[in-house]
Amino acid sequence: MKGAMLSVGFIPLVDAAPLIVAQEMGFAAEEGLALDLLPAPSWSSLRDLLAFGRVDAAHMLAPVPVASALGLGGSGVEMCALSVLSMNGNVIGVSNGLAARMRNGGHGFGFDDAHAAGAAIITAGPEAGARLRIGVPFPFSMHAELLYYWLSALGLPAPQGVEVRTVPPPLMAEAMASGEIDAFCVGEPWGSIAVEKGVATLLLPTRAIWQGAPEKVLAVRKGWADDEPELSARLIRAVWKAQRWLFAPDSRALAGEILARPEYLAMPVEVIDRALTGNLCISPGGDMRQVPDFVTFYKNAASFPWRSQAQWIGYQLAARMGLDRAEALRKASHVFRPDLYRAALDPAGAVIPGASSKIEGSIRVETPVASGAGRLFLGPDSFFDGKSFDPERANL
Protein backbone atom coordinates (compact mmCIF):
# COMPACT_ATOMS: atom_id res chain seq x y z
CA MET A 1 0.00 0.00 0.00
CA LYS A 2 1.42 3.35 -1.00
CA GLY A 3 2.27 5.54 1.98
CA ALA A 4 0.77 9.00 2.43
CA MET A 5 1.33 11.81 4.90
CA LEU A 6 -1.81 13.55 6.15
CA SER A 7 -1.75 16.70 8.27
CA VAL A 8 -4.35 16.54 11.04
CA GLY A 9 -5.19 19.38 13.43
CA PHE A 10 -6.33 18.86 17.00
CA ILE A 11 -7.03 20.69 20.26
CA PRO A 12 -5.26 19.28 23.37
CA LEU A 13 -8.22 17.39 24.83
CA VAL A 14 -8.76 13.81 25.95
CA ASP A 15 -11.18 13.25 23.08
CA ALA A 16 -8.40 13.78 20.55
CA ALA A 17 -7.25 10.32 21.67
CA PRO A 18 -8.41 8.37 18.56
CA LEU A 19 -6.20 10.46 16.27
CA ILE A 20 -3.22 10.42 18.61
CA VAL A 21 -3.53 6.67 19.22
CA ALA A 22 -3.97 5.98 15.50
CA GLN A 23 -0.55 7.47 14.89
CA GLU A 24 1.28 6.32 18.03
CA MET A 25 0.03 2.72 18.10
CA GLY A 26 0.60 2.08 14.40
CA PHE A 27 -2.99 1.91 13.19
CA ALA A 28 -2.35 4.69 10.68
CA ALA A 29 0.76 2.87 9.46
CA GLU A 30 -1.34 -0.27 8.93
CA GLU A 31 -3.39 1.78 6.48
CA GLY A 32 -0.32 3.21 4.75
CA LEU A 33 -0.69 6.58 6.46
CA ALA A 34 1.45 8.85 8.60
CA LEU A 35 -0.47 11.47 10.57
CA ASP A 36 1.29 14.78 11.13
CA LEU A 37 -0.60 15.89 14.24
CA LEU A 38 -0.68 19.66 14.65
CA PRO A 39 -2.01 21.25 17.87
CA ALA A 40 -4.11 24.40 17.51
CA PRO A 41 -4.65 27.07 20.18
CA SER A 42 -8.40 27.52 19.64
CA TRP A 43 -11.36 26.08 17.76
CA SER A 44 -11.61 29.10 15.47
CA SER A 45 -7.99 28.69 14.42
CA LEU A 46 -8.46 24.96 13.86
CA ARG A 47 -11.58 25.56 11.79
CA ASP A 48 -9.67 28.02 9.63
CA LEU A 49 -6.70 25.68 9.24
CA LEU A 50 -9.07 23.06 7.84
CA ALA A 51 -11.17 25.45 5.77
CA PHE A 52 -8.15 26.96 4.02
CA GLY A 53 -6.35 23.70 3.39
CA ARG A 54 -3.55 24.07 5.93
CA VAL A 55 -4.53 20.65 7.33
CA ASP A 56 -6.20 17.72 5.56
CA ALA A 57 -8.40 16.67 8.47
CA ALA A 58 -9.25 17.81 11.97
CA HIS A 59 -10.50 16.80 15.39
CA MET A 60 -13.53 19.07 15.27
CA LEU A 61 -16.53 20.13 17.32
CA ALA A 62 -19.51 18.24 15.91
CA PRO A 63 -21.59 21.39 15.22
CA VAL A 64 -18.88 23.21 13.24
CA PRO A 65 -19.40 21.38 9.90
CA VAL A 66 -23.17 21.73 10.36
CA ALA A 67 -22.87 25.45 11.11
CA SER A 68 -20.72 25.84 7.99
CA ALA A 69 -23.42 24.16 5.88
CA LEU A 70 -25.96 26.64 7.28
CA GLY A 71 -23.76 29.62 6.43
CA LEU A 72 -22.75 30.25 10.04
CA GLY A 73 -19.24 30.76 11.33
CA GLY A 74 -17.68 32.68 8.48
CA SER A 75 -15.47 30.08 6.77
CA GLY A 76 -17.69 29.65 3.72
CA VAL A 77 -16.12 26.23 3.06
CA GLU A 78 -18.25 23.08 3.08
CA MET A 79 -17.04 20.42 5.52
CA CYS A 80 -18.22 16.93 6.28
CA ALA A 81 -17.79 14.45 9.13
CA LEU A 82 -16.29 11.10 8.12
CA SER A 83 -16.94 9.62 11.57
CA VAL A 84 -17.67 10.56 15.15
CA LEU A 85 -14.48 10.64 17.23
CA SER A 86 -16.18 10.71 20.63
CA MET A 87 -19.49 10.92 22.42
CA ASN A 88 -19.86 13.10 25.51
CA GLY A 89 -16.80 13.84 27.68
CA ASN A 90 -17.69 17.40 28.78
CA VAL A 91 -18.35 18.80 32.24
CA ILE A 92 -20.26 21.78 33.55
CA GLY A 93 -18.48 23.57 36.38
CA VAL A 94 -19.38 26.50 38.61
CA SER A 95 -17.35 29.02 40.60
CA ASN A 96 -16.72 28.20 44.23
CA GLY A 97 -18.92 31.12 45.28
CA LEU A 98 -21.83 29.89 43.20
CA ALA A 99 -21.20 26.33 44.45
CA ALA A 100 -21.39 27.56 48.06
CA ARG A 101 -24.73 29.30 47.42
CA MET A 102 -26.05 26.15 45.75
CA ARG A 103 -25.00 24.02 48.74
CA ASN A 104 -26.61 26.52 51.12
CA GLY A 105 -29.78 26.08 49.09
CA GLY A 106 -29.69 22.33 49.63
CA HIS A 107 -28.05 21.06 46.44
CA GLY A 108 -25.95 17.97 47.11
CA PHE A 109 -23.88 17.89 43.89
CA GLY A 110 -24.97 14.37 43.09
CA PHE A 111 -23.54 14.82 39.57
CA ASP A 112 -26.25 12.82 37.82
CA ASP A 113 -29.51 14.81 37.95
CA ALA A 114 -29.81 17.54 35.30
CA HIS A 115 -33.17 18.70 36.67
CA ALA A 116 -31.86 19.22 40.20
CA ALA A 117 -28.59 20.78 39.04
CA GLY A 118 -30.40 23.16 36.70
CA ALA A 119 -32.91 24.25 39.32
CA ALA A 120 -30.08 24.85 41.79
CA ILE A 121 -27.94 26.93 39.43
CA ILE A 122 -30.93 29.07 38.41
CA THR A 123 -31.98 29.66 42.03
CA ALA A 124 -28.49 30.44 43.29
CA GLY A 125 -27.33 32.35 40.22
CA PRO A 126 -26.68 36.09 39.86
CA GLU A 127 -28.93 38.68 41.45
CA ALA A 128 -32.16 39.67 39.76
CA GLY A 129 -31.51 41.45 36.48
CA ALA A 130 -28.07 39.93 35.97
CA ARG A 131 -27.41 37.15 33.51
CA LEU A 132 -25.55 33.96 34.28
CA ARG A 133 -22.15 34.15 32.55
CA ILE A 134 -21.07 30.81 31.14
CA GLY A 135 -17.83 30.08 29.30
CA VAL A 136 -17.84 27.69 26.35
CA PRO A 137 -14.97 26.89 23.98
CA PHE A 138 -16.80 27.99 20.80
CA PRO A 139 -20.22 29.42 19.85
CA PHE A 140 -20.98 26.47 17.55
CA SER A 141 -20.30 23.55 19.85
CA MET A 142 -22.14 20.83 21.72
CA HIS A 143 -21.14 22.70 24.86
CA ALA A 144 -23.29 25.65 23.78
CA GLU A 145 -26.15 23.64 22.26
CA LEU A 146 -26.53 21.37 25.28
CA LEU A 147 -26.42 24.35 27.67
CA TYR A 148 -29.12 26.18 25.74
CA TYR A 149 -31.25 23.03 25.50
CA TRP A 150 -30.86 22.30 29.22
CA LEU A 151 -31.56 25.79 30.53
CA SER A 152 -34.43 26.41 28.11
CA ALA A 153 -36.13 23.16 29.09
CA LEU A 154 -35.90 24.26 32.73
CA GLY A 155 -37.60 27.57 32.02
CA LEU A 156 -34.62 29.92 31.79
CA PRO A 157 -34.97 31.80 28.49
CA ALA A 158 -31.91 31.04 26.40
CA PRO A 159 -29.92 32.65 24.96
CA GLN A 160 -31.61 35.69 26.55
CA GLY A 161 -31.24 34.35 30.08
CA VAL A 162 -27.53 33.63 29.89
CA GLU A 163 -24.45 35.39 28.64
CA VAL A 164 -22.34 32.84 26.83
CA ARG A 165 -18.69 33.82 26.44
CA THR A 166 -16.13 32.13 24.23
CA VAL A 167 -13.11 30.96 26.22
CA PRO A 168 -10.46 28.59 24.79
CA PRO A 169 -10.30 25.39 26.88
CA PRO A 170 -6.78 26.04 28.29
CA LEU A 171 -7.94 29.45 29.58
CA MET A 172 -11.15 28.29 31.27
CA ALA A 173 -9.65 28.00 34.76
CA GLU A 174 -8.06 31.45 34.43
CA ALA A 175 -11.38 32.99 33.33
CA MET A 176 -13.08 31.44 36.35
CA ALA A 177 -10.34 32.60 38.73
CA SER A 178 -10.52 36.19 37.47
CA GLY A 179 -14.30 36.34 37.89
CA GLU A 180 -15.03 36.70 34.16
CA ILE A 181 -17.46 33.78 34.22
CA ASP A 182 -19.77 32.18 36.79
CA ALA A 183 -19.76 28.75 35.16
CA PHE A 184 -18.32 26.83 32.24
CA CYS A 185 -18.91 23.87 30.00
CA VAL A 186 -15.67 22.36 28.71
CA GLY A 187 -14.11 19.10 27.61
CA GLU A 188 -11.77 17.16 29.84
CA PRO A 189 -9.17 17.52 31.18
CA TRP A 190 -9.81 21.27 31.46
CA GLY A 191 -12.67 20.98 33.93
CA SER A 192 -10.47 18.85 36.17
CA ILE A 193 -7.63 21.34 35.79
CA ALA A 194 -9.94 24.09 37.10
CA VAL A 195 -10.73 21.88 40.10
CA GLU A 196 -7.02 21.14 40.63
CA LYS A 197 -6.33 24.89 40.66
CA GLY A 198 -8.99 25.33 43.31
CA VAL A 199 -11.20 27.70 41.32
CA ALA A 200 -14.21 25.55 40.38
CA THR A 201 -16.57 22.78 41.43
CA LEU A 202 -17.96 20.40 38.82
CA LEU A 203 -21.74 20.34 38.67
CA LEU A 204 -22.72 17.90 35.94
CA PRO A 205 -21.38 15.81 33.06
CA THR A 206 -23.15 16.79 29.84
CA ARG A 207 -24.15 13.17 29.22
CA ALA A 208 -26.70 13.85 32.00
CA ILE A 209 -28.36 16.24 29.53
CA TRP A 210 -28.14 14.02 26.43
CA GLN A 211 -26.68 10.55 26.80
CA GLY A 212 -26.13 10.18 23.06
CA ALA A 213 -24.46 13.48 22.17
CA PRO A 214 -21.81 13.37 19.43
CA GLU A 215 -19.00 15.54 20.75
CA LYS A 216 -16.10 15.58 18.27
CA VAL A 217 -16.00 14.42 14.67
CA LEU A 218 -13.32 13.56 12.13
CA ALA A 219 -13.84 16.53 9.83
CA VAL A 220 -12.51 17.14 6.32
CA ARG A 221 -13.37 19.55 3.55
CA LYS A 222 -16.20 18.17 1.43
CA GLY A 223 -14.13 18.68 -1.72
CA TRP A 224 -11.26 16.69 -0.21
CA ALA A 225 -13.57 13.79 0.70
CA ASP A 226 -14.99 13.78 -2.85
CA ASP A 227 -11.55 13.97 -4.48
CA GLU A 228 -9.75 11.52 -2.18
CA PRO A 229 -12.09 8.57 -1.51
CA GLU A 230 -9.23 6.11 -0.97
CA LEU A 231 -7.41 8.35 1.52
CA SER A 232 -10.71 9.07 3.27
CA ALA A 233 -11.38 5.34 3.65
CA ARG A 234 -7.88 4.66 4.97
CA LEU A 235 -8.19 7.48 7.50
CA ILE A 236 -11.61 6.27 8.68
CA ARG A 237 -10.25 2.74 9.18
CA ALA A 238 -7.13 3.90 11.02
CA VAL A 239 -9.17 5.99 13.45
CA TRP A 240 -11.78 3.23 13.92
CA LYS A 241 -9.03 0.76 14.84
CA ALA A 242 -7.71 3.25 17.38
CA GLN A 243 -11.20 3.68 18.85
CA ARG A 244 -11.59 -0.10 19.13
CA TRP A 245 -8.23 -0.26 20.94
CA LEU A 246 -9.26 2.52 23.33
CA PHE A 247 -12.40 0.53 24.23
CA ALA A 248 -10.32 -2.22 25.88
CA PRO A 249 -9.98 -1.54 29.64
CA ASP A 250 -6.35 -2.68 29.65
CA SER A 251 -5.50 0.03 27.10
CA ARG A 252 -6.34 2.95 29.38
CA ALA A 253 -3.06 3.15 31.28
CA LEU A 254 -0.99 3.29 28.10
CA ALA A 255 -3.48 5.67 26.46
CA GLY A 256 -3.10 8.05 29.39
CA GLU A 257 0.69 7.94 29.15
CA ILE A 258 0.58 8.69 25.42
CA LEU A 259 -1.85 11.57 25.79
CA ALA A 260 0.19 13.06 28.65
CA ARG A 261 3.25 13.58 26.44
CA PRO A 262 4.44 17.18 25.93
CA GLU A 263 3.55 17.18 22.23
CA TYR A 264 -0.07 16.27 22.99
CA LEU A 265 -1.83 17.30 26.22
CA ALA A 266 1.24 17.95 28.41
CA MET A 267 -0.79 17.06 31.50
CA PRO A 268 -0.32 14.77 34.51
CA VAL A 269 -1.40 11.22 33.66
CA GLU A 270 -3.62 11.03 36.73
CA VAL A 271 -5.73 13.99 35.54
CA ILE A 272 -6.17 12.48 32.08
CA ASP A 273 -7.07 9.14 33.64
CA ARG A 274 -10.10 10.70 35.33
CA ALA A 275 -11.81 11.20 31.98
CA LEU A 276 -10.78 7.81 30.60
CA THR A 277 -12.17 6.00 33.66
CA GLY A 278 -15.05 8.36 34.50
CA ASN A 279 -13.75 8.64 38.07
CA LEU A 280 -13.88 12.42 38.51
CA CYS A 281 -12.82 14.67 41.36
CA ILE A 282 -15.53 17.34 41.39
CA SER A 283 -14.36 19.77 44.07
CA PRO A 284 -11.18 21.26 45.53
CA GLY A 285 -12.11 19.36 48.70
CA GLY A 286 -11.61 16.03 46.92
CA ASP A 287 -15.22 14.86 46.45
CA MET A 288 -15.29 12.01 43.89
CA ARG A 289 -18.00 10.89 41.49
CA GLN A 290 -18.09 7.88 39.17
CA VAL A 291 -19.62 8.45 35.72
CA PRO A 292 -20.01 5.28 33.62
CA ASP A 293 -19.20 5.89 29.94
CA PHE A 294 -18.17 9.45 30.68
CA VAL A 295 -16.53 9.61 27.24
CA THR A 296 -17.19 6.97 24.61
CA PHE A 297 -15.05 6.28 21.57
CA TYR A 298 -16.26 2.89 20.29
CA LYS A 299 -18.92 1.21 22.44
CA ASN A 300 -22.43 0.89 20.95
CA ALA A 301 -21.37 2.18 17.51
CA ALA A 302 -20.23 5.47 19.05
CA SER A 303 -18.18 6.33 15.96
CA PHE A 304 -21.07 5.99 13.48
CA PRO A 305 -22.00 9.37 11.92
CA TRP A 306 -25.79 9.35 12.20
CA ARG A 307 -27.48 11.82 9.86
CA SER A 308 -30.10 12.40 12.56
CA GLN A 309 -27.40 13.65 14.96
CA ALA A 310 -26.36 16.28 12.42
CA GLN A 311 -30.02 17.17 11.90
CA TRP A 312 -30.58 17.64 15.64
CA ILE A 313 -27.65 20.04 15.66
CA GLY A 314 -28.96 21.82 12.56
CA TYR A 315 -32.43 22.14 14.07
CA GLN A 316 -31.07 23.61 17.32
CA LEU A 317 -28.85 26.06 15.45
CA ALA A 318 -31.72 27.15 13.22
CA ALA A 319 -34.05 27.69 16.16
CA ARG A 320 -31.41 29.68 18.03
CA MET A 321 -30.21 31.75 15.08
CA GLY A 322 -33.60 32.41 13.47
CA LEU A 323 -32.99 30.31 10.34
CA ASP A 324 -35.49 28.30 8.33
CA ARG A 325 -35.73 24.98 10.18
CA ALA A 326 -36.79 22.85 7.23
CA GLU A 327 -33.89 24.14 5.16
CA ALA A 328 -31.52 23.57 8.07
CA LEU A 329 -32.66 19.96 8.38
CA ARG A 330 -32.13 19.40 4.67
CA LYS A 331 -28.65 20.89 4.64
CA ALA A 332 -27.58 19.19 7.87
CA SER A 333 -28.61 15.78 6.55
CA HIS A 334 -25.69 15.83 4.10
CA VAL A 335 -22.96 16.80 6.60
CA PHE A 336 -22.43 13.52 8.48
CA ARG A 337 -21.36 10.83 5.98
CA PRO A 338 -22.50 7.29 6.86
CA ASP A 339 -22.05 6.40 3.16
CA LEU A 340 -18.30 7.01 3.31
CA TYR A 341 -18.07 5.33 6.73
CA ARG A 342 -19.73 2.18 5.40
CA ALA A 343 -17.62 2.11 2.25
CA ALA A 344 -14.49 2.23 4.39
CA LEU A 345 -15.48 -0.24 7.11
CA ASP A 346 -17.70 -2.84 5.42
CA PRO A 347 -14.61 -4.50 3.88
CA ALA A 348 -12.98 -4.56 7.32
CA GLY A 349 -15.85 -6.60 8.76
CA ALA A 350 -16.99 -3.89 11.13
CA VAL A 351 -20.45 -4.21 12.66
CA ILE A 352 -22.29 -1.16 11.32
CA PRO A 353 -25.91 0.01 11.80
CA GLY A 354 -28.16 -0.81 8.87
CA ALA A 355 -29.92 2.55 9.06
CA SER A 356 -28.37 6.01 8.64
CA SER A 357 -30.86 7.89 10.79
CA LYS A 358 -32.77 7.22 13.99
CA ILE A 359 -35.13 8.90 16.42
CA GLU A 360 -32.67 10.63 18.75
CA GLY A 361 -33.46 10.26 22.45
CA SER A 362 -35.72 7.23 22.00
CA ILE A 363 -33.42 4.51 23.37
CA ARG A 364 -33.74 4.01 27.12
CA VAL A 365 -31.79 0.76 27.53
CA GLU A 366 -29.17 -1.04 25.47
CA THR A 367 -31.07 -2.23 22.39
CA PRO A 368 -30.23 -4.63 19.52
CA VAL A 369 -30.56 -3.14 16.02
CA ALA A 370 -30.20 -4.36 12.46
CA SER A 371 -26.63 -4.35 11.18
CA GLY A 372 -24.76 -5.47 8.11
CA ALA A 373 -22.67 -8.09 9.90
CA GLY A 374 -22.67 -9.50 13.41
CA ARG A 375 -24.79 -8.32 16.32
CA LEU A 376 -24.98 -4.66 17.27
CA PHE A 377 -26.41 -2.98 20.35
CA LEU A 378 -27.05 0.74 20.62
CA GLY A 379 -26.70 2.35 24.03
CA PRO A 380 -29.15 4.68 25.80
CA ASP A 381 -29.39 8.09 24.13
CA SER A 382 -32.05 9.77 26.29
CA PHE A 383 -32.49 13.51 26.73
CA PHE A 384 -32.89 14.54 30.37
CA ASP A 385 -36.38 15.93 29.74
CA GLY A 386 -37.67 12.69 28.21
CA LYS A 387 -38.26 14.20 24.78
CA SER A 388 -37.10 12.72 21.49
CA PHE A 389 -36.17 14.13 18.10
CA ASP A 390 -37.47 12.58 14.88
CA PRO A 391 -36.12 14.48 11.83
CA GLU A 392 -39.14 13.32 9.82
CA ARG A 393 -41.58 14.83 12.30
CA ALA A 394 -39.70 17.84 13.61
CA ASN A 395 -41.81 20.84 14.56
CA LEU A 396 -41.14 23.27 11.72
Side-chain angles (χ1 to χ4, degrees):
M1 183 183 295
K2 184 180 179 181
M5 172 72 77
L6 295 181
S7 56
V8 182
F10 74 98
I11 297 289
L13 291 162
V14 170
D15 54 30
L19 291 167
I20 295 168
V21 166
Q23 176 61 22
E24 293 291 342
M25 295 302 296
F27 300 117
E30 287 180 8
E31 295 296 332
L33 299 175
L35 305 184
D36 181 17
L37 296 168
L38 305 172
S42 67
W43 289 111
S44 58
S45 63
L46 182 53
R47 175 203 60 195
D48 292 344
L49 285 172
L50 181 61
F52 299 117
R54 299 290 299 275
V55 296
D56 299 306
H59 159 241
M60 186 60 70
L61 296 158
V64 167
V66 178
S68 179
L70 303 186
L72 301 172
S75 75
V77 175
E78 286 189 274
M79 304 175 190
C80 65
L82 300 179
S83 66
V84 173
L85 291 177
S86 63
M87 291 175 59
N88 298 305
N90 298 325
V91 290
I92 296 170
V94 297
S95 69
N96 291 330
L98 179 52
R101 295 198 298 274
M102 293 170 70
R103 286 196 179 94
N104 289 339
H107 186 62
F109 284 82
F111 212 60
D112 60 357
D113 187 337
H115 286 280
I121 198 173
I122 290 171
T123 301
E127 297 178 358
R131 293 196 293 176
L132 185 69
R133 302 166 301 163
I134 306 180
V136 299
F138 198 65
F140 306 118
S141 62
M142 290 306 295
H143 313 86
E145 297 314 318
L146 291 174
L147 281 172
Y148 287 137
Y149 184 89
W150 175 50
L151 295 174
S152 294
L154 291 167
L156 181 66
Q160 297 85 0
V162 297
E163 181 183 342
V164 175
R165 299 184 176 185
T166 300
V167 181
L171 300 180
M172 205 65 79
E174 182 180 325
M176 185 71 87
S178 67
E180 295 176 27
I181 54 177
D182 306 301
F184 59 64
C185 183
V186 73
E188 281 293 283
W190 296 107
S192 289
I193 291 297
V195 172
E196 286 294 298
K197 292 185 175 182
V199 300
T201 297
L202 302 185
L203 174 65
L204 203 66
T206 54
R207 67 167 286 110
I209 299 171
W210 182 16
Q211 288 181 280
E215 175 53 32
K216 304 298 189 310
V217 295
L218 176 57
V220 298
R221 296 179 302 283
K222 182 179 181 299
W224 190 90
D226 293 338
D227 294 341
E228 300 286 356
E230 182 190 357
L231 281 178
S232 295
R234 286 155 65 179
L235 182 58
I236 290 169
R237 285 194 296 270
V239 171
W240 177 81
K241 290 176 182 179
Q243 290 172 298
R244 182 177 59 181
W245 182 86
L246 283 162
F247 177 61
D250 57 4
S251 297
R252 288 173 185 158
L254 180 54
E257 291 176 7
I258 292 171
L259 293 174
R261 293 175 184 172
E263 63 268 36
Y264 298 130
L265 272 62
M267 297 274 178
V269 173
E270 55 269 24
V271 175
I272 294 170
D273 190 59
R274 294 177 192 176
L276 294 176
T277 63
N279 191 29
L280 298 174
C281 178
I282 69 162
S283 74
D287 297 318
M288 303 298 294
R289 299 289 185 271
Q290 179 63 43
V291 184
D293 298 325
F294 172 73
V295 59
T296 308
F297 300 111
Y298 179 81
K299 183 181 178 181
N300 299 130
S303 66
F304 187 75
W306 294 95
R307 295 190 189 278
S308 48
Q309 291 176 337
Q311 288 178 296
W312 183 89
I313 294 168
Y315 186 88
Q316 300 302 317
L317 286 171
R320 181 158 66 88
M321 305 300 292
L323 305 178
D324 182 89
R325 299 183 191 186
E327 183 70 1
L329 286 174
R330 185 188 67 78
K331 290 180 177 178
S333 70
H334 301 295
V335 175
F336 282 24
R337 298 296 299 273
D339 56 328
L340 298 180
Y341 183 94
R342 285 197 181 90
L345 289 173
D346 271 338
V351 181
I352 302 171
S356 294
S357 184
K358 59 187 173 75
I359 300 175
E360 299 294 336
S362 65
I363 302 175
R364 300 291 188 267
V365 297
E366 197 170 74
T367 301
V369 296
S371 61
R375 197 174 186 194
L376 177 64
F377 288 81
L378 298 183
D381 69 348
S382 302
F383 293 98
F384 84 101
D385 57 3
K387 294 182 178 180
S388 60
F389 175 77
D390 183 351
E392 300 299 320
R393 294 176 173 81
N395 180 15
L396 304 178

